C-alpha cells in the first residue's frame, strides 16, 4: 500500500479573538508558509494492529497503546478510527512533522489533527469530508483546550480566510469571503509561551464578575470585525490599520495584552506599520502588523530589535 500524506496550514486571527468565544464574529486566515504534515505508511514489519507514532520534532517514537489516552495525537487517531468505522486497522505508522511554531497562536495543534485526520481516513479507505475533519479537530481541541470557539480548526481545514461566528454550543456559521486586494502582514512572536486555555479561562472569570462591561467590549469588537470584513472585501486596505488599532485597544481592556506584546506593537508603529495588534489568545504568543510591502522587512527587523524571537512576512490572499 503506498504511503498517504496530507498537510494543513498554520493560521492567524486577524480580528475578533476572545469576543468570538462569546458569539461575536472573528476573521482568520490560513498561513501557507508553515505547515503540519502527516504521512501514513503500512508497516507489515510490525506486529498486527500496531500503530506507531513518530514525531521527530518533539523526539516522539512510540506505539499508540503505550501513550497516555488523553494525548491529543492519541485522541485524534482514536476518533478517526471511530469516524471511519475501522475496527482493526493494519499495522501502520503515523509520522508527523510541522514547521508551525508551537503554542504561539498559529494553530499548530489543530493543524496536526487536521493533517492526521485527512491522511489516515484516506489511508483506511474512508476519506472524511472537510466538515467531518473540522468537527473532529474541534472535538480534540475541546478535550484539550477547554472552550475553543472552533475558528482554528475551521480556517485550517478549509484553508481560506473566514468570517466565523459561533451561535451557542452546537452551531457555527462560516462565511468565506473575497479578499479585494491582497495585503501584507508581519507576524512577530513575543517568545512568551502562553496557553490559550489560560487566557480564555481568565477572560471567562472576568466576564462572570462583570458581564455588563465585558458584553459591551465584545459587542464593540464584533462591530470592528464587521467593518474589517467590508474593508477587506472592498480592497480598502487603508481602513484596516485603524481597525486593528481599535481592536487592540479593546483587547487591552479585555485584559489579554502584556508588556512584551505592547513593546512589539509600539516598535511596529515606529517602523511604519499601518496598524498592529496581538493575534490569538494573547498574554504572549504573536502580534501582527499591517504594512505596505516596502516596509515589511524594516518592520520585521524592528520587531527583532524589540525582542521578538521570530518574524514572518505573509500576504493575505483570497482562495486562488
Ligand atoms: O491562541 P489561538 O490563536 O489559538 O486563538 C485563540 C482565539 C480565541 O478567540 C482567544 C479562542 C478561541 O477559541 O476562539
Amino acid at each position: 500500500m503506498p504511503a498517504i500524506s496530507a498537510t494543513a496550514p498554520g493560521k492567524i486571527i486577524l480580528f475578533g479573538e476572545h469576543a468570538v468565544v462569546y458569539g461575536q464574529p472573528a476573521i482568520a486566515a490560513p498561513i501557507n508558509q508553515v505547515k503540519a504534515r502527516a504521512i501514513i505508511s503500512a508497516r507489515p514489519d510490525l506486529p498486527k494492529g500496531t500503530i506507531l507514532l513518530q514525531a521527530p520534532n518533539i523526539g516522539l517514537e512510540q506505539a499508540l497503546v503505550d501513550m497516555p489516552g488523553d494525548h491529543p495525537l492519541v485522541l485524534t487517531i482514536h476518533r478517526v478510527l471511530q469516524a471511519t468505522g475501522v475496527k482493526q486497522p493494519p499495522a501502520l505508522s503515523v509520522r508527523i512533522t510541522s514547521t508551525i511554531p508551537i503554542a504561539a497562536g498559529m494553530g499548530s495543534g489543530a493543524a496536526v489533527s487536521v493533517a492526521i485526520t485527512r491522511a489516515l481516513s484516506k489511508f483506511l479507505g474512508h476519506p472524511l469530508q472537510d466538515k467531518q475533519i473540522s468537527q473532529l479537530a474541534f472535538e480534540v481541541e475541546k478535550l484539550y483546550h477547554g472552550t475553543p470557539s472552533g475558528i482554528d480548526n475551521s480556517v485550517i481545514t478549509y484553508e481560506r480566510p473566514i468570517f466565523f461566528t459561533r451561535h451557542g454550543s452546537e452551531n457555527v456559521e462560516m462565511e468565506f469571503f473575497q479578499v479585494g486586494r491582497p495585503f501584507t502582514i508581519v507576524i512577530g512572536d513575543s517568545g512568551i509561551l502562553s496557553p490559550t486555555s489560560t487566557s480564555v479561562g481568565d477572560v471567562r472569570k472576568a466576564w462572570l464578575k462583570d458581564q455588563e462591561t465585558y458584553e459591551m467590549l465584545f459587542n464593540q469588537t464584533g462591530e470592528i470585525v464587521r467593518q474589517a470584513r467590508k474593508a477587506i472585501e472592498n480592497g480598502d486596505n487603508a481602513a484596516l490599520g485603524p481597525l486593528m488599532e481599535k481592536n487592540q485597544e479593546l483587547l487591552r481592556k479585555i485584559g489579554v495584552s502584556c508588556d512584551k506584546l505592547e513593546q512589539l506593537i509600539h516598535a511596529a508603529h515606529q517602523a511604519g506599520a499601518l496598524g498592529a495588534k496581538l493575534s490569538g489568545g494573547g498574554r504572549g504568543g504573536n502580534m501582527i502588523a499591517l504594512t505596505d510591502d516596502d516596509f515589511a522587512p524594516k518592520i520585521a527587523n524592528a520587531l527583532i530589535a524589540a525582542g521578538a524571537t521570530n518574524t514572518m512576512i505573509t500576504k493575505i490572499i483570497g482562495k486562488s
Side-chain angles (χ1 to χ4, degrees):
M1 209 183 299
I4 300 281
S5 120
T7 61
K11 72 103 217 322
I12 48 164
I13 296 186
L14 291 170
F15 290 95
E17 49 276 272
H18 286 288
V20 68
V21 177
Y22 298 82
Q24 297 296 331
I27 295 174
I31 303 296
N32 292 308
Q33 277 145 285
V34 286
K35 281 193 190 302
R37 178 184 298 275
I39 305 173
I40 319 295
S41 309
R43 293 294 300 266
D45 54 315
L46 297 177
K48 214 173 152 197
T50 303
I51 297 182
L52 177 66
L53 273 165
Q54 300 170 307
N57 295 24
I58 53 168
L60 175 77
E61 169 131 4
Q62 208 169 8
L64 189 79
V65 288
D66 296 329
M67 290 183 60
D70 60 354
H71 192 289
L73 296 176
V74 177
L75 290 169
T76 303
I77 292 171
H78 280 154
R79 288 191 175 241
V80 175
L81 294 176
Q82 233 170 38
T84 54
V86 174
K87 294 210 168 55
Q88 289 178 323
L92 57 86
S93 63
V94 178
R95 184 180 169 83
I96 301 138
T97 53
S98 175
T99 54
I100 307 173
I102 294 173
M106 291 193 74
S108 69
V112 167
S113 284
V114 167
I116 292 178
T117 304
R118 243 191 240 299
L120 183 57
S121 65
K122 199 166 165 198
F123 180 89
L124 296 171
H126 299 276
L128 297 173
Q129 302 302 306
D130 282 348
K131 195 170 173 197
Q132 293 167 294
I133 293 172
S134 183
Q135 182 62 29
L136 197 148
F138 180 57
E139 295 299 328
V140 174
E141 293 260 297
K142 261 204 304 208
L143 291 168
Y144 208 58
H145 288 308
T147 55
S149 63
I151 191 168
D152 279 20
N153 50 283
S154 302
V155 66
I156 286 167
T157 301
Y158 292 95
E159 300 187 25
R160 308 170 60 165
I162 57 170
F163 183 84
F164 176 96
T165 317
R166 166 162 290 287
H167 303 286
S169 60
E170 293 304 321
N171 229 340
V172 299
E173 189 181 339
M174 236 180 342
E175 293 173 62
F176 302 117
F177 62 97
Q178 292 306 316
V179 176
R181 212 152 47 91
F183 53 96
T184 301
I185 294 282
V186 184
I187 305 172
D189 189 343
S190 68
I192 301 173
L193 295 182
S194 170
T196 301
S197 54
T198 309
S199 64
V200 169
D202 287 350
V203 172
R204 182 156 299 269
K205 279 184 217 143
W207 170 76
L208 284 170
K209 263 201 194 139
D210 185 358
Q211 295 204 13
E212 200 182 323
T213 303
Y214 273 75
E215 288 298 336
M216 188 188 73
L217 295 170
F218 296 149
N219 285 335
Q220 289 172 356
T221 304
E223 190 44 44
I224 287 167
V225 176
R226 281 183 278 272
Q227 288 175 24
R229 174 185 172 164
K230 269 192 209 133
I232 295 172
E233 281 178 321
N234 296 335
D236 183 7
N237 297 349
L240 287 178
L243 289 170
M244 277 190 181
E245 299 302 320
K246 286 188 187 154
N247 196 164
Q248 175 61 19
E249 210 175 296
L250 292 165
L251 286 162
R252 258 178 225 133
K253 290 185 182 160
I254 289 169
V256 291
S257 194
C258 68
D259 290 349
K260 182 80 179 276
L261 284 168
E262 292 298 332
Q263 281 157 19
L264 298 181
I265 289 167
H266 179 72
H269 286 146
Q270 297 291 96
L274 304 169
K277 63 182 275 295
L278 68 85
S279 172
R283 301 264 177 84
N286 282 314
M287 48 72 68
I288 55 176
L290 177 73
T291 175
D292 292 330
D293 280 347
D294 297 348
F295 278 96
K298 187 176 166 209
I299 292 172
N301 288 338
L303 290 175
I304 294 288
T309 51
N310 197 10
T311 62
M312 205 181 291
I313 298 172
T314 193
K315 232 182 170 99
I316 308 297
I317 51 173
K319 180 89 177 168
S320 49

